[in-house]
Amino acid sequence: MSELLHSLRDIVGAAQVLTHDDPGADLAAWEQDWRKRSRGRALAVVRPGNTAEVAAVVKACVAAGAPIVPQGGNTGLVVGSVPDDSGTQVVLSLTRMNRVRAIDGANLTMTVDAGCVLQNLQDAAETAGFLFPLSLAAEGSCTIGGNLATNAGGTQVVRYGNARDLCLGLEVVTAQGEVWNGLSGLRKDNTGYDLRDLFVGSEGTLGIITAATMKLYPEPAARLTAWAAVPDLASAVTLLGLAHQHLGAGLTGFEVMGQFALSLVAKHFPQQRVPLWEHSPYCVLLENSDSESEAHAREQFERLLETAFEQDVVSDAVVAESLQQAHALWHIRESIPLAQAEEGLNIKHDVSIPVSRIPAFCEETDALLEREMPGVRLVNFGHLGDGNLHYNVQAPENGDPQAFLREQEARVNTLVFDAVARFEGSISAEHGIGSLKVDKLPHYKDPVALALMRSIKQALDPQNLLNPGRVLTR
Ligand code: FAD
Ligand code: ZN
């Protein structure tokens, strides 16, 4: 392996190859996953500065038979971007590749290096007078390469789609160290299999994304945010239908938050004033972005809420009066995962169910978990507009969260995932499979789909060197 390290240093420069043998080495930032569930041990962390160096690194690793773990911002939630504990895997960090290569205003596209931090891309688009709509709570540190590799969703999917929908082209280094240049900004290209869509969502198991061409949008003239209390989940679903009718394409976000989830924000972040949560089982956060004017957006919201009150699907509501108030409302939503972490260890699920079936899914699964594990607390929130719930399970109050996780996690997962399957949903809506759910996938994925996935992996990475053990086991 010292020969491999020697080659890697030749390719990227000694300063960009980090190993445990370096004096004072601390590789925790690359070896520990974001949720601190797993700490691996890398043979080395390699930080190439351009696509040619990535290709050369891959070729060197292939020659040495060393597995490669691609890594962006390391904010993934399914233990997919950190090495295993064998000490043989090379972490290939893309974060030095952070250039915006080009912005084409007439084509409404920007072409960027994979290691660009998402927030920097939002800023670059804004500076050029455009909107880049991908938005998630990790945007200050996640990278566009990681967003594409996980097909990230976030809070604007109702209107703009997920990372896949925003991507027009990719540059990818293959498992053999070849460079595929697919960075066309074409919206139409029917010349055979769609390789772009194969790599998007492949979690680093099929190729290394080194650059991407992403869609830009005009900045909306106004964005308005409302917060509504609803009597139950069925009413939230009815409100979603009304919002589609009244706001049309302006409906940008539709988030639901359960009462217990909001109570945790009120408890752990008392400086945030959480509206309307005390008397309603669910609250909804809606965003309307309008191409005309703020007055028009407000008028649309007023008509929507009027209808919703008439039909008794909303019991109370506030519309943000300023951008600052709108940010404060979104901040409450984004604080739920942090408040939950403050409350203690918990079991997370990121599931999707057809929107129409979500109320029945929650009613049945809430009751099932409460029956099987008396006292469990359900932190239920998510992107209802996309049929995506973060259906999380917290240990009973005054219980020992660590013991709860140790003794109950497997059983809770089975109960929740079996319910998801009964309701024809997916066990991963946006976070991916990684290694956290790799043993679950065969139980819940269509067997023919799974066999096709294995054939694709075998064809593209026959040596199984790209992120082995993630998404698929052999
Ligand atoms: P990493 O964590 O570094 O990697 C993720 C996966 O992609 C790994 O399998 C890795 O091997 C692979 N990968 C990374 N870069 C490349 C590349 N260039 N080429 C090939 N493979 C690569 N996700 C959502 O979808 N919606 C949300 O709303 C959301 N909110 C989040 C909020 C918080 C606070 C956090 C911590 C995470 C959240 N996530 C969310 C998880 C989400 O998957 C990541 O934040 C993000 O998409 C991953 O980007 P990253 O650069 O950190 O990738
Ligand atoms: Zn989410």
Side-chain angles (χ1 to χ4, degrees):
M1 280 303 154
S2 68
E3 210 174 304
L4 171 61
L5 293 177
H6 191 78
S7 310
L8 294 175
R9 290 191 179 105
D10 274 353
I11 297 163
V12 296
Q16 305 304 344
V17 179
L18 319 176
T19 73
H20 284 281
D21 293 336
D22 303 339
D26 180 7
L27 305 187
W30 296 272
E31 291 179 336
Q32 170 97 67
D33 79 301
W34 194 83
R35 286 175 64 200
K36 300 203 171 16
R37 287 190 66 119
S38 170
R39 167 99 194 242
R41 187 176 170 85
L43 173 70
V45 175
V46 184
R47 303 174 2 113
N50 56 51
T51 303
E53 287 183 8
V54 174
V57 165
V58 170
K59 282 192 171 142
C61 289
V62 169
I68 300 165
V69 180
Q71 189 181 89
N74 197 16
T75 67
L77 298 175
V78 290
V79 194
S81 51
V82 289
D84 67 12
D85 55 13
S86 65
T88 62
Q89 301 191 326
V90 172
V91 173
L92 197 162
S93 166
L94 280 298
T95 51
R96 284 181 63 226
M97 293 173 57
N98 57 9
R99 265 185 327 130
V100 174
R101 294 191 188 176
I103 292 186
D104 182 342
N107 199 42
L108 285 171
T109 51
M110 79 181 156
T111 297
V112 302
D113 282 351
C116 288
V117 169
L118 176 56
Q119 196 166 45
N120 294 344
L121 294 184
Q122 296 165 349
D123 292 347
E126 193 182 334
T127 304
F130 297 100
L131 171 75
F132 181 57
L134 189 64
S135 175
L136 40 133
E139 63 200 19
S141 41
C142 65
T143 63
I144 193 69
N147 299 147
L148 286 163
T150 58
N151 186 24
T155 51
Q156 314 259 307
V157 175
V158 181
R159 175 159 187 181
Y160 298 103
N162 45 30
R164 181 190 303 285
D165 299 309
L166 293 169
C167 178
L168 289 176
L170 289 180
E171 180 187 83
V172 172
V173 170
T174 69
Q176 292 70 39
E178 304 293 327
V179 181
W180 168 49
N181 181 349
L183 285 177
S184 78
L186 300 178
R187 281 171 170 76
K188 291 188 163 184
D189 179 11
N190 286 347
T191 52
Y193 306 144
D194 195 326
L195 300 176
R196 176 194 64 208
D197 275 351
L198 206 52
F199 290 109
V200 174
S202 66
E203 300 184 47
T205 62
L206 298 180
I208 295 163
I209 298 169
T210 48
T213 300
M214 306 299 295
K215 289 184 193 169
L216 295 174
Y217 289 83
E219 287 265 26
R223 279 184 189 198
L224 222 57
T225 303
W227 181 286
V230 295
D232 49 34
L233 260 182
S235 300
V237 170
T238 308
L239 179 62
L240 174 63
L242 291 175
H244 276 303
Q245 273 173 24
H246 282 260
L247 309 179
L251 179 62
T252 312
F254 194 99
E255 302 284 313
V256 73
M257 299 154 289
Q259 187 174 40
F260 180 61
L262 290 174
S263 80
L264 291 180
V265 178
K267 174 178 167 187
H268 294 288
F269 306 115
Q271 70 282 15
Q272 295 192 36
R273 292 188 34 246
V274 183
L276 310 181
W277 68 275
E278 274 161 312
H279 305 293
S280 40
Y282 285 95
C283 287
V284 167
L285 183 62
L286 307 91
E287 189 168 287
N288 181 17
S289 37
D290 193 71
S291 50
E292 277 187 36
S293 65
E294 186 175 329
H296 183 253
R298 204 168 280 281
E299 209 176 291
Q300 279 187 318
F301 252 158
E302 275 162 17
R303 259 185 274 134
L304 163 64
L305 290 173
E306 220 170 90
T307 314
F309 278 119
E310 272 166 27
Q311 297 188 13
D312 288 329
V313 295
V314 163
S315 53
D316 206 347
V318 287
V319 179
E321 289 298 328
S322 64
L323 211 55
Q324 206 180 358
Q325 269 183 19
H327 283 316
L329 292 176
W330 274 106
H331 190 50
I332 295 168
R333 158 64 183 88
E334 279 160 9
S335 300
I336 294 174
L338 302 173
Q340 213 192 334
E342 289 288 317
E343 185 72 7
L345 284 174
N346 52 77
I347 304 168
K348 290 199 193 313
H349 304 106
D350 155 45
V351 301
S352 63
I353 319 275
V355 173
S356 51
R357 306 187 70 184
I358 281 182
F361 166 82
C362 289
E363 194 177 334
E364 195 178 303
T365 315
D366 290 4
L368 178 68
L369 289 171
E370 276 153 21
R371 199 167 61 235
E372 297 284 321
M373 290 148 204
V376 285
R377 298 173 298 163
L378 298 171
V379 183
N380 188 7
F381 64 100
H383 320 288
L384 185 66
D386 318 322
N388 177 189
L389 292 179
H390 296 308
Y391 190 84
N392 299 342
V393 180
Q394 199 102 28
E397 201 164 13
N398 307 322
D400 172 0
Q402 226 136 13
F404 178 74
L405 240 67
R406 207 171 43 241
E407 290 156 17
Q408 304 287 8
E409 181 164 21
R411 177 144 178 71
V412 168
N413 286 341
T414 302
L415 290 173
V416 172
F417 292 154
D418 284 356
V420 167
R422 281 197 300 281
F423 282 85
E424 296 172 315
S426 164
I427 63 165
S428 174
E430 53 179 15
H431 298 159
I433 298 299
S435 43
L436 203 60
K437 293 184 194 148
V438 74
D439 60 330
K440 294 283 174 206
L441 195 65
H443 295 285
Y444 298 104
K445 189 94 184 168
D446 177 274
V448 176
L450 208 58
L452 290 170
M453 283 169 60
R454 285 190 201 286
S455 311
I456 292 168
K457 172 72 175 171
Q458 175 65 27
L460 269 63
D461 180 20
Q463 282 181 269
N464 194 27
L465 290 181
L466 288 183
N467 225 357
R470 273 71 201 257
V471 184
L472 290 170
T473 48
R474 278 232 138 166

